[in-house]
Amino acid sequence: MSDHVYNVLFLCTGNSARSILAEAMLAKDGKGRFQAFSAGSQPKPDVNPLALQVLRETDYPTEGMRSKSWDEFAAPGAPIMDFVFTVCDNAAGEVCPYWPGQPVTAHWGIEDPAAVEGSEMERKAAFVTAQRYLKNRISAFLALPMTSLDQVSLAARVREIGQQAGATSARPEVA
């Protein structure tokens, strides 16, 4: 087994909900095989409180979670990403920064739980649903035989993962 720790960046426009959920889940479920990051093209001032609540209630880490700009990860000295996943359709359609190292990219679009209006219970249910869809994708990603797949096969597999239940778009990513 390889000792390589893979760097994974989850992108969304606001970096306050879906990308935060994905970062926290991969950080824990990746058990040291993956270093998870998240960022947004237009980050919100704060992480959505319901994202943090759902993470805490499902025993995922929330300490240190903050909305951040994707510029942090395109700057000199930033970690080199092995994978970059967009989790919202808006971020997938934006012109992203140049990511050194030619990471494998894919679009894992999930409906925005922060856009749901209604009662507290309805809004929280949207976050729980988004977390479930992201958890399924992350579980499939963690099960990939990273060291035995060539770059082309790996790219195809992570794109297939993005088409699982709950996918918002079949269009190719542009990250």
Side-chain angles (χ1 to χ4, degrees), residues 39-70:
S41 58
Q42 300 167 37
K44 302 275 186 194
D46 297 302
V47 174
N48 189 298
L50 282 173
L52 296 174
Q53 180 183 347
V54 167
L55 286 168
R56 282 191 297 271
E57 288 175 358
T58 52
D59 200 30
Y60 283 100
T62 61
E63 188 173 329
M65 289 300 210
R66 65 183 178 85
S67 294
K68 38 204 169 299
S69 172
W70 64 15

Side-chain angles (χ1 to χ4, degrees), residues 17-18 48 111-118 123 126-127:
R18 292 165 285 185
N48 189 298
E111 290 291 335
D112 185 2
V116 171
E117 296 181 8
R123 291 184 358 256
F127 278 85

Side-chain angles (χ1 to χ4, degrees), residues 3-170:
D3 289 335
H4 180 75
V5 175
Y6 296 94
N7 289 326
V8 181
L9 177 61
F10 293 98
L11 297 176
C12 202
T13 306
N15 188 221
S16 69
R18 292 165 285 185
S19 52
I20 294 288
L21 292 170
E23 176 185 6
M25 289 188 293
L26 182 61
K28 180 179 177 183
D29 295 348
K31 296 180 177 66
R33 291 178 39 219
F34 296 87
Q35 182 145 1
F37 303 93
S38 69
S41 58
Q42 300 167 37
K44 302 275 186 194
D46 297 302
V47 174
N48 189 298
L50 282 173
L52 296 174
Q53 180 183 347
V54 167
L55 286 168
R56 282 191 297 271
E57 288 175 358
T58 52
D59 200 30
Y60 283 100
T62 61
E63 188 173 329
M65 289 300 210
R66 65 183 178 85
S67 294
K68 38 204 169 299
S69 172
W70 64 15
D71 293 336
E72 287 186 33
F73 299 97
I80 303 297
M81 295 301 150
D82 297 292
F83 298 91
V84 176
F85 300 135
T86 53
V87 293
C88 76
D89 293 345
N90 289 342
E94 293 179 316
V95 177
C96 295
Y98 168 75
W99 305 114
Q102 299 179 336
V104 173
T105 62
H107 180 55
W108 289 5
I110 301 288
E111 290 291 335
D112 185 2
V116 171
E117 296 181 8
S119 70
E120 174 93 10
M121 188 183 332
E122 291 167 324
R123 291 184 358 256
K124 183 177 177 189
F127 278 85
V128 169
T129 298
Q131 183 188 38
R132 184 179 70 246
Y133 287 141
L134 287 165
K135 173 95 171 153
N136 291 343
R137 285 162 173 71
I138 289 167
S139 294
F141 176 63
L142 291 172
L144 290 175
M146 297 289 179
T147 57
S148 64
L149 291 174
D150 61 59
Q151 192 81 349
V152 172
S153 298
L154 188 56
R157 297 284 292 274
V158 296
R159 287 184 180 109
E160 288 170 11
I161 289 169
Q163 297 307 308
Q164 290 182 354
T168 57
S169 174

